[in-house]
Amino acid sequence: MMKFDVANIDAAPGQKVTVTLTNIGTLPKAAMAHNFVLLKAGTDVTVFATAAMTHAETGYLPPEMAGNVIVATRLLGPGESDTVRFTAPAAGVYDFICSFPGHALVGMRGTLTVK
Ligand SMILES: [Cu+2]
């Protein structure tokens, strides 16, 4: 399923947050991999996701938009898992997406609400 099971994460500014992503799918990694990419405020999700499509070599993280990424997991194949830790930024709403081609655009995204 091209969906995160958690669509919103709440945190307080400065709070330490741990996110573990597990790909529970069974399709091969080349066809259906997932990651968790938390984007800085003001990042256009469509622009980022579109730029990501051509960067398989970096796990679909566009080098030219590296400055827009707060934190990202590895790109995960079936059954794989990765954990990232970060400090919640200033109050606001931040998008997170899966940057595998097409996934964010069909709804594999969510928000981090910091307040
Ligand atoms: Cu995905």
Side-chain angles (χ1 to χ4, degrees), residues 1-4 32-35 98-100 103-104 108:
M1 267 193 312
M2 283 188 278
K3 234 175 174 333
F4 289 112
M32 180 70 73
H34 303 293
N35 61 7
C98 171
S99 68
F100 191 87
H103 291 194
M108 192 166 180

Side-chain angles (χ1 to χ4, degrees), residues 6-21:
V6 175
N8 185 64
I9 300 169
D10 289 312
Q15 184 182 340
K16 304 282 186 221
V17 181
T18 301
V19 172
T20 298
L21 177 68

Side-chain angles (χ1 to χ4, degrees), residues 3-95:
K3 234 175 174 333
F4 289 112
D5 65 347
V6 175
N8 185 64
I9 300 169
D10 289 312
Q15 184 182 340
K16 304 282 186 221
V17 181
T18 301
V19 172
T20 298
L21 177 68
T22 303
N23 179 354
I24 61 169
T26 54
L27 291 172
K29 189 170 180 177
M32 180 70 73
H34 303 293
N35 61 7
F36 167 90
V37 184
L38 178 62
L39 300 170
K40 287 189 180 167
T43 302
D44 185 313
V45 168
T46 303
V47 170
F48 187 94
T50 302
M53 286 183 189
T54 54
H55 290 289
E57 81 287 359
T58 55
Y60 297 106
L61 295 177
E64 69 272 27
M65 294 187 77
N68 292 78
V69 177
I70 295 173
V71 71
T73 66
R74 293 184 298 114
L75 189 68
L76 304 175
E80 294 180 337
S81 181
D82 192 24
T83 297
V84 288
R85 295 177 182 80
F86 62 95
T87 301
V93 178
Y94 301 80
D95 291 302

